[in-house]
Amino acid sequence: MLIGLWAFATIFAVALFLYRFQKRNHYKKLSTRYSILFGVCSLVLAVLLLNQHSTTVLAALSPKETDQQLEGIKEMKEAPKDHPLINQYKLKKSIKLEAPLINQYPELPRGCEVTSLAMLLNYHDIQTDKMKLAAEVTKNPAPYQKSEGKITYGHPNEGFVGDMYTLDKPGLGVYHKPIFQLASQYAGERVVDFTGQDFNYILNYLNDGLPVWIITNTTYRKLPEKYFQTWETPQGSIQITYKEHSVLVTGYDEKFIYFNDPILGKNKKAPIDDFKEAWAQMGKQAITIKNT
C-alpha cells in the first residue's frame, strides 16, 4: 500500500515539475505548487517505507552479517555488565551464601552487632545465640552526659555503649574490636578482623564461601553530615550516627550486594557502590571466620 502511494506521489511530482517548462503552460504557478506538494508527500512516504523495512534494508547493505551474528550482537547489548571489581579480581560472577537469619527483635532493639555475629557463628556450625552473645560482649561503663550542648559518652571500640535491651535508655552499639574479641572466644585464630582494608576483601571472602560481618548504616548508602554528631570519649572525640547498623554480608552479583539484615530479613540487597560508600563511611569495619 505504502509503495503504491509513494510511486503515485513521485510520478505526479516529476510530471508536474516537467509540465511547468512547457511553452504554452498557463498554469505554471499552480503546477509548481502541486509539484512541491507531491514531492513532499513522496519524501514522507519514503521515510515511512524505510522505517517499516529497516531490517531488510540493513541486511541488504551488510550482506556479510548473518542472522546468527546479528543475534549475537543483540545478546551482547542486552547482557548485564559485571561490576569492575568482579572483573578486576577475577571473581565468580555471582555468589549467594545460605546463612541462617536471626532477628534481633524483640529482645535486642540495639543488638544488631551481636545478632549478626550469631548468624556468622551459626553459619560455621558454632552453636550459640544472640542472647548469650549479648550477655558476653564487653560493655563500656561510661555514662551518658550532656552539658552545654557537648555530649560525653563511651567509645564503641571499647565495649558496647549504653543499653542493648531497651530504647527507653541511652545507647548506641559496639564496633569491631569487642566483636572480634567475642568471636575469637568461639572460633579462635580462625577469626579475621580485616577492618580498614579495601572493599574487594569482602568480595574475595564471599568468593571463597565466607560471609562477612560488617558495620554500615540503616540506609546502605553514604549519609549526609547532618546525621552525625560529635561525642567526647576517654579515647578522644569521635563522630557517631544513630543510624549505625550491622549486617551479615552473604553475596554479590554484577549490580548488588546481598546480606542478612537482623531487622529487615534474609537476602536483602543494595547497589554495590552505595553499599561500599556506606561501609567506608563507618570505618571499613569487617570480620569473617575462616574454614577449619
Side-chain angles (χ1 to χ4, degrees), residues 39-161:
V40 171
C41 290
S42 176
L43 286 173
V44 171
L45 289 167
V47 171
L48 291 173
L49 280 169
L50 283 171
N51 186 58
Q52 186 176 10
H53 300 282
S54 58
T55 304
T56 304
V57 172
L58 287 172
L61 292 173
S62 305
K64 293 182 180 179
E65 294 284 355
T66 65
D67 291 340
Q68 187 176 1
Q69 288 173 319
L70 291 171
E71 186 65 26
I73 293 171
K74 181 180 179 182
E75 289 178 359
M76 288 174 61
K77 290 180 179 178
E78 293 177 352
K81 293 182 179 179
D82 292 335
H83 191 276
L85 287 174
I86 296 175
N87 289 328
Q88 181 179 352
Y89 295 100
K90 298 180 180 179
L91 305 174
K92 298 172 184 175
K93 292 186 179 296
S94 67
I95 292 288
K96 289 184 183 178
L97 305 177
E98 189 60 34
L101 173 68
I102 302 174
N103 199 313
Q104 70 185 75
Y105 277 91
E107 298 88 356
L108 301 174
R110 288 199 183 97
C112 57
E113 302 94 348
V114 293
T115 305
S116 293
L117 176 59
M119 288 189 269
L120 176 60
L121 291 168
N122 288 177
Y123 176 83
H124 289 278
D125 295 324
I126 300 173
Q127 298 306 312
T128 187
D129 60 65
K130 65 180 183 180
M131 300 306 294
K132 191 171 188 294
L133 296 175
E136 292 173 343
V137 69
T138 300
K139 311 297 191 301
N140 191 322
Y144 177 87
Q145 296 178 333
K146 187 174 183 180
S147 177
E148 298 181 353
K150 184 173 72 172
I151 297 174
T152 303
Y153 213 180
H155 197 302
N157 257 333
E158 298 300 314
F160 192 96
V161 176

